[in-house]
Amino acid sequence: MDYALSVRRRVFVEEQGVSEDEEIDEHDGDPAAVTTAVHVLGRLESTQMPVATARLLLDHPPGEYPHIGRVAVLREFRGLGYGRAVMEALHEEARRRGIEGITLAAQLHALPFYEHLGYVAHGDAFLDARIEHRRMDLRL
Ligand code: COA
């Protein structure tokens, strides 16, 4: 968990200016104790350095798909497929759990990244942590 949080601090807190209080929540505790989220960590094969992360939230309102969020790749490792790899790992885990679809809130600049993975945007843009987002869904 510490490695995933170190990537998220670099990307969301230092790079995007999100406060630590907004960034880290009850789903980010010790994975042995917290059962509401599955976290994935991408490491370099050569050095094992953590470079990418994302999480799937398992508690969701009835009738809604579970949510993927906190998708982050260290700036110097973007465009190399690590974002796709952590998303596909969570899609696989979701399928294994019988989950039929995923919802997420995409920062506007990341819309094409999620579209490449098959997500479809809907609804108007909205602000979260002072950053513009749109809701996107994927049927697994
Ligand atoms: N515009 C268009 N296409 C994009 C894109 C962009 N901004 N970013 C990625 N893609 C495409 C890639 O070309 C690639 O396409 P391909 O599979 O057909 O080759 C595919 O999406 C996967 O790209 P990948 O290299 O795996 O993406 P990444 O490792 O750079 O990760 C983010 C993408 C968004 C996670 C990364 O840029 C990031 O961490 N940004 C900062 C944090 C952030 O904004 N997170 C999202 C919050 S909603």
Side-chain angles (χ1 to χ4, degrees), residues 4 6-7 18 28 33 37 39 47 55 61 65 73-74 79 83 87 92 96-98 107 114 116 118 130 133 137-138:
S6 75
V7 172
V18 176
D28 297 323
H39 300 263
T47 61
R55 72 179 189 185
Y65 290 148
V73 177
L74 294 182
M87 290 297 292
E92 194 50 44
R96 199 182 64 79
R97 290 168 180 264
Q107 294 185 18
Y114 293 115
H116 276 238
R130 290 165 299 285
H133 289 74
D137 287 341
L138 173 73

Side-chain angles (χ1 to χ4, degrees), residues 80-130:
L80 300 172
Y82 294 111
R84 174 184 281 275
V86 289
M87 290 297 292
E88 287 180 345
L90 285 185
H91 293 164
E92 194 50 44
E93 175 63 16
R95 281 191 202 96
R96 199 182 64 79
R97 290 168 180 264
I99 291 168
E100 293 178 348
I102 300 289
T103 190
L104 55 77
Q107 294 185 18
L108 294 192
H109 73 87
L111 241 72
F113 164 70
Y114 293 115
E115 282 170 348
H116 276 238
L117 290 161
Y119 284 80
V120 176
H122 57 89
D124 295 333
F126 59 93
L127 285 178
D128 184 18
R130 290 165 299 285

Side-chain angles (χ1 to χ4, degrees), residues 8 12-13 18-25 28 70:
R8 283 168 43 188
F12 294 118
V13 179
V18 176
S19 74
E20 178 112 359
D21 278 358
E22 283 173 298
E23 175 52 29
I24 296 167
D25 63 20
D28 297 323
R70 304 305 201 267

